Amino acid sequence: MFIHRLTTGFGQYWRILTVIFFASVLSACTSLADQPVYQNEAGALEGHDPVAYFTEGKPVKGSAAFTSQRDGTTWYFSSAENKALFDGNPEKYSPQYGGYCAQAMAHGLVVSSDPAAFTIKDDKLFLNYSLGVRKTWLENVDENIRSADREWQKKTANP
């Protein structure tokens, strides 16, 4: 009887630790406080030109010769013309949800994205974690956008 109680208590201990671990992982995946625009060491969109998605229909690497700083984010462009277009209307060319994965955002999560996994819909740029995730997102794109819009509003609301 004593051994049963000991092992039962031990199992409950591990369950509690598991819940705490996953809660901390999920909270790390849902915070926008430190980085409202996804960027890595190469900058926003991993150094790709946000305007080129609209003008060329594909991801194009930007150049250090053509950059803009906006709200702590570095954006790279493939030409002076694209930089000027972005600087004149950054909301038009900036990716939705700060460039984070649109599918994850639809589920309330903040996850990095792949510049190659993009979609232009209704003149807006959406990115996803991978081409496979993009395929899933496109299966129900309108509902996913509505859900991601709601989640983005929650995550970016001022406390």
Side-chain angles (χ1 to χ4, degrees):
M1 181 91 123
F2 176 73
I3 293 174
H4 176 71
R5 281 191 176 167
L6 181 62
T7 57
T8 301
F10 187 70
Q12 288 175 342
Y13 172 77
W14 281 109
R15 274 185 287 229
I16 291 169
L17 283 178
T18 302
V19 167
I20 291 170
F21 170 77
F22 282 111
S24 66
V25 167
L26 285 176
S27 68
C29 292
T30 60
S31 174
L32 287 171
D34 294 336
Q35 199 170 338
V37 174
Y38 171 63
Q39 61 181 327
N40 63 12
E41 62 281 349
L45 297 172
E46 297 182 8
H48 289 79
D49 180 341
V51 176
Y53 285 97
F54 295 90
T55 60
E56 298 187 39
K58 64 182 182 180
V60 175
K61 272 291 200 186
S63 165
F66 310 109
T67 64
S68 288
Q69 289 286 327
R70 185 166 188 264
D71 299 327
T73 302
T74 303
W75 300 89
Y76 289 85
F77 305 93
S78 58
S79 69
E81 179 183 31
N82 283 6
K83 178 185 178 332
L85 285 169
F86 182 87
D87 289 343
N89 192 355
E91 289 76 24
K92 175 179 176 155
Y93 298 106
S94 295
Q96 300 300 292
Y97 321 124
Y100 290 99
C101 176
Q103 175 69 10
M105 188 59 64
H107 297 282
L109 300 173
V110 178
V111 176
S112 64
S113 62
D114 177 350
F118 77 97
T119 302
I120 303 283
K121 177 155 175 55
D122 299 329
D123 210 29
K124 294 179 180 179
L125 173 61
F126 297 90
L127 297 164
N128 278 287
Y129 177 76
S130 67
L131 294 173
V133 170
R134 177 184 176 266
K135 182 179 176 186
T136 301
W137 180 74
L138 287 170
E139 290 172 0
N140 195 10
V141 67
D142 292 328
E143 179 54 36
N144 285 329
I145 289 172
R146 283 189 294 274
S147 179
D149 285 349
R150 283 190 303 271
E151 293 298 329
W152 181 251
Q153 289 302 314
K154 290 178 197 174
K155 293 194 178 301
T156 57
N158 291 327

